Amino acid sequence: MTLLSCRIPGCKKTFRNKSGQMKHICSAHPIPLRNRPTFHQAAPVSRSPSPENLAFDNQQDFGDARPLEGANEAFMLEQGVRLGPLFQTLHPHLTGCKCNVHGNFIDQNALPPPRTEALPTDWTPYETRVAFETAEFLYTRNQMSAGQIDTLLNLWAATLIKHDDSPPFTGHHDLYETIDSTLLGDVSWQTFSMSYSGTRPAENVPPWMTAEYDMWFHDPHLLVHNMLSNPDFAAEIEYVPYRDYTDDNTHCYKNFLSGDWAWKQADIITQDPETHGSTFVPLIIGSDKTMVSVATGHTEYHPLYLSIRNIFNGVRRAYRNGVVLVGFLAIPKSTKEHLDDKDFRNFHCQMFHSSLAKIFEPVKLNMTVPDVVCCPDSHYRCIIYGLGPYITDYPEQVALSGVVQNWCPKFLNNRKNLDGDGLPLLWCREHTDLLVQELPHVHLWHEYGIIQEVVPFTNDFPRADIHKLLSLDILHQIIKGTFKDHLVDWVEQYLLLMHRASHAAEIMDDIDRRIAAVAPFAGLRHFPEGRGFKQWTGDDSKALMKVYLPAISGHVPQDVVRAFSAFLDFCYIVRRDTLMEDDLTQLQDALKSKHIKVVKEPWCRSSRYKALGQMLLTNQRLDKIAAARSDFEARGMLQGSCMSDALWALRESNGELLDNSEDEDEDNDDADNVLQAHCLLR
């Protein structure tokens, strides 16, 4: 009997007739709808954030969006679209149009070119699917040591000798060499050195003045290319800045491109007509000097992370490669004798800025000149990059903005009167540059909190102002900072101030008893000893926030309770799904998760001796395995399991392929496949 194969590449289903074949294709490989008509309705003038885009009407036109060369008018993005309860407006000029590999705009309904010419049976550099999944399991999921890998493979080999067969790898060396030979995700580590070049004392030169500091980094240009070409993001990425409004003219925020900043950046970019039709890709940067660092000699290394703001909030998580490790920033160390030395402080801070400027230099050109890049949907687009928010905690915000400790890096208010007497004025790059040019060092330091010698790295890049890009660290500055280090400590200090020490201790014990007595409930954590644990984590703080307010009620004045209530309201509001602040919250969670994957776990896997080089290699291998998985999944090669593949091959070799598509109780349960495989092998 001649069997029909599924027409979809990579699918191994076979059928006895065309009816079964068509039924399978319609259910397992539905074709997405294209060119679905959209409904236009009039939008009020106030809904348009751009002065050029003044109104919409009920006709199917495209507002002020002009046709692009190579893309006819019918394929321009609509300027007003009803999306359920929301009305959406799209930017009229930065429209994310598809183009060819040369940057020429094409028919916007054209099918994408093939992502790869590789066959669906090509597992290069792995010999088989079993080899790939074995490598992924041992290196990524289990993180097995080299010695244990050898032991496991030897035991595996012992069971296969009688079958004249062998495991997919001979040992850990073979496994590592196979991973290293993966071309996908191969962004090599680069390095450059920095050293102090200022005046040195004639005698007793501090070690930090003579040391060389090595920076290790990936080319961010290539990292962004890898993220943009990742097929995992095909249905979860945006190419055009937009705004969503409700019927009562309320602006709703969701993903980053729905925000005001992205729209304003698009307006600035499109002042150059050559950028019309391009896609804006904001780069978000994150670092945290309080995280675990890798110390070597006179240097500490702190991780630097990168993401792009086009992918949806839920995608920017470490396990989906929405956040990537850019490099390790070298932080010079010194003895206590020189920690307060002005030259050391300035060198420490300016080396930080110089390192960032050097690392992100590869993307500078394409912040004004479009870069043609393959996107997750396999289409090419002209990309304009831009420095986006820099998420970090207060110590690094001070270093990045070039302000004095205890001054605000965002507002001009004096450090002794941060609340100010009226509306606060924001820092801006032009104002800072003018002050540095006109005022002496002492006046800048004491009256404005500006460190004259520090030049922010953002000054080297277009459309970048560090004061506007700084974003707070939700975890350290709100959850742990304001709640734990300020409000909780405030309650304890109040009790000690208003009561004698023994009575204050009794009250705090009662607060602990109330916390411990919280009934079990979904989403609530049990604290058997109250808040009496030595080291607080971010998760501890977030869990305690849910039960702390009723625990202190009656022990402190109502104003204190109201202060806690207002703070908790703020915390929960900014974490809502329809606010742009939720974007920052989820990204902070991603940074925290990514730190464990790229710093803590590689550190634990190292020998601890000259650990940085081992950590760099570990991260490079993890990236290659992740990239290989994305490619194999995009080609439909990881459907089912290794066992189902083996069973299919066994049936094919025995000539027992059947049409299972017409069975009413068909399923792909691996347990059934295992049972069938054992029966066939007997």
Side-chain angles (χ1 to χ4, degrees), residues 62 67-77 105-108:
F62 306 100
L68 294 167
E69 183 179 353
N72 68 51
E73 193 169 321
F75 301 128
M76 297 301 297
L77 294 168
F105 294 109
I106 62 173
D107 181 342
Q108 298 302 289

Side-chain angles (χ1 to χ4, degrees), residues 402-444:
V403 303
V404 178
Q405 184 75 20
N406 296 325
W407 286 74
C408 179
K410 300 284 287 185
F411 295 98
L412 279 165
N413 293 348
N414 190 285
R415 67 181 181 88
K416 297 179 181 179
N417 185 24
L418 290 176
D419 289 336
D421 300 322
L423 291 176
L425 297 175
L426 291 169
W427 281 108
C428 71
R429 172 177 169 179
E430 293 78 10
H431 181 245
T432 303
D433 291 345
L434 180 62
L435 291 176
V436 171
Q437 180 180 346
E438 298 294 334
L439 298 179
H441 175 275
V442 175
H443 195 70
L444 287 170

Side-chain angles (χ1 to χ4, degrees), residues 561-663:
V561 176
R562 291 190 187 100
F564 268 89
S565 179
F567 169 75
L568 293 175
D569 284 345
F570 170 81
C571 289
Y572 294 129
I573 287 172
V574 300
R575 293 169 67 88
R576 286 179 183 171
D577 194 36
T578 55
L579 291 180
M580 190 169 64
E581 285 82 353
D582 179 65
D583 190 25
L584 301 179
T585 302
Q586 293 202 21
L587 186 62
Q588 178 59 39
D589 292 341
L591 287 174
K592 179 183 175 183
S593 173
K594 190 67 176 182
H595 176 74
I596 294 173
K597 293 294 183 184
V598 304
V599 178
K600 290 186 177 180
E601 290 180 357
W603 163 260
C604 293
R605 295 169 70 164
S606 72
S607 66
R608 312 297 200 277
Y609 176 69
K610 295 184 177 180
L612 181 61
Q614 300 170 54
M615 293 170 63
L616 300 180
L617 184 57
T618 296
N619 277 294
Q620 192 167 13
R621 287 170 175 165
L622 291 171
D623 290 342
K624 290 186 175 187
I625 292 176
R629 167 165 281 277
S630 295
D631 177 64
F632 294 149
E633 284 182 339
R635 289 193 273 148
M637 297 166 62
L638 290 176
Q639 296 177 358
S641 65
C642 284
M643 180 59 72
S644 62
D645 272 7
L647 179 59
W648 184 89
L650 186 62
R651 284 177 169 177
E652 184 181 45
S653 64
N654 292 340
E656 298 179 12
L657 288 175
L658 299 174
D659 178 12
N660 295 324
S661 64
E662 298 178 6
D663 293 342

Side-chain angles (χ1 to χ4, degrees), residues 292-336:
V292 175
S293 59
V294 184
T296 56
H298 294 286
T299 310
E300 288 185 354
Y301 288 94
H302 298 293
L304 179 70
Y305 303 101
L306 174 69
S307 183
I308 57 175
R309 282 298 201 170
N310 306 73
I311 53 180
F312 291 178
N313 294 343
V315 180
R316 275 192 297 273
R317 298 171 187 250
Y319 67 88
R320 296 194 61 184
N321 285 332
V323 180
V324 296
L325 176 69
V326 181
F328 288 93
L329 297 175
I331 309 297
K333 296 190 298 183
S334 181
T335 59
K336 293 182 179 180

Side-chain angles (χ1 to χ4, degrees), residues 233-254:
F233 303 153
E236 299 171 296
I237 190 171
E238 295 168 331
Y239 301 107
V240 184
Y242 64 95
R243 284 189 167 186
D244 285 337
Y245 296 92
T246 61
D247 285 332
D248 61 359
N249 204 31
T250 300
H251 188 174
C252 294
Y253 300 93
K254 172 69 174 180

Side-chain angles (χ1 to χ4, degrees), residues 436-674:
V436 171
Q437 180 180 346
E438 298 294 334
L439 298 179
H441 175 275
V442 175
H443 195 70
L444 287 170
W445 182 285
H446 292 287
E447 297 298 325
Y448 290 93
I450 296 175
I451 304 175
Q452 186 179 40
E453 294 83 0
V454 175
V455 180
F457 82 98
T458 51
N459 286 16
D460 291 345
F461 297 88
R463 307 183 307 277
D465 184 339
I466 189 60
H467 301 293
K468 297 177 182 179
L469 296 180
L470 285 177
S471 295
L472 58 83
D473 181 327
I474 296 289
L475 175 65
H476 290 94
Q477 291 184 263
I478 294 184
I479 305 300
K480 293 179 69 176
T482 305
F483 177 70
K484 187 266 180 186
D485 295 334
H486 180 67
L487 293 178
V488 173
D489 290 350
W490 179 35
V491 168
E492 295 183 9
Q493 292 171 14
Y494 169 82
L495 294 174
L496 290 171
L497 183 65
M498 300 302 294
H499 306 279
R500 65 180 186 275
S502 59
H503 185 46
E506 292 176 1
I507 295 176
M508 286 188 279
D509 286 342
D510 185 59
I511 292 174
D512 286 338
R513 280 192 293 271
R514 293 183 181 185
I515 294 173
V518 173
F521 192 79
L524 291 182
R525 175 176 158 188
H526 182 54
F527 292 92
E529 299 179 2
R531 65 195 184 2
F533 36 88
K534 294 182 179 179
Q535 185 173 357
W536 289 47
T537 66
D539 290 337
D540 293 332
S541 296
K542 284 185 279 189
L544 193 60
M545 286 169 63
K546 299 178 180 179
V547 298
Y548 194 74
L549 186 62
I552 64 172
S553 181
H555 288 310
V556 295
Q558 279 299 108
D559 284 344
V560 175
V561 176
R562 291 190 187 100
F564 268 89
S565 179
F567 169 75
L568 293 175
D569 284 345
F570 170 81
C571 289
Y572 294 129
I573 287 172
V574 300
R575 293 169 67 88
R576 286 179 183 171
D577 194 36
T578 55
L579 291 180
M580 190 169 64
E581 285 82 353
D582 179 65
D583 190 25
L584 301 179
T585 302
Q586 293 202 21
L587 186 62
Q588 178 59 39
D589 292 341
L591 287 174
K592 179 183 175 183
S593 173
K594 190 67 176 182
H595 176 74
I596 294 173
K597 293 294 183 184
V598 304
V599 178
K600 290 186 177 180
E601 290 180 357
W603 163 260
C604 293
R605 295 169 70 164
S606 72
S607 66
R608 312 297 200 277
Y609 176 69
K610 295 184 177 180
L612 181 61
Q614 300 170 54
M615 293 170 63
L616 300 180
L617 184 57
T618 296
N619 277 294
Q620 192 167 13
R621 287 170 175 165
L622 291 171
D623 290 342
K624 290 186 175 187
I625 292 176
R629 167 165 281 277
S630 295
D631 177 64
F632 294 149
E633 284 182 339
R635 289 193 273 148
M637 297 166 62
L638 290 176
Q639 296 177 358
S641 65
C642 284
M643 180 59 72
S644 62
D645 272 7
L647 179 59
W648 184 89
L650 186 62
R651 284 177 169 177
E652 184 181 45
S653 64
N654 292 340
E656 298 179 12
L657 288 175
L658 299 174
D659 178 12
N660 295 324
S661 64
E662 298 178 6
D663 293 342
E664 294 183 359
D665 54 352
E666 172 197 0
D667 62 58
N668 292 322
D669 187 80
D670 282 346
D672 292 340
N673 288 339
V674 172

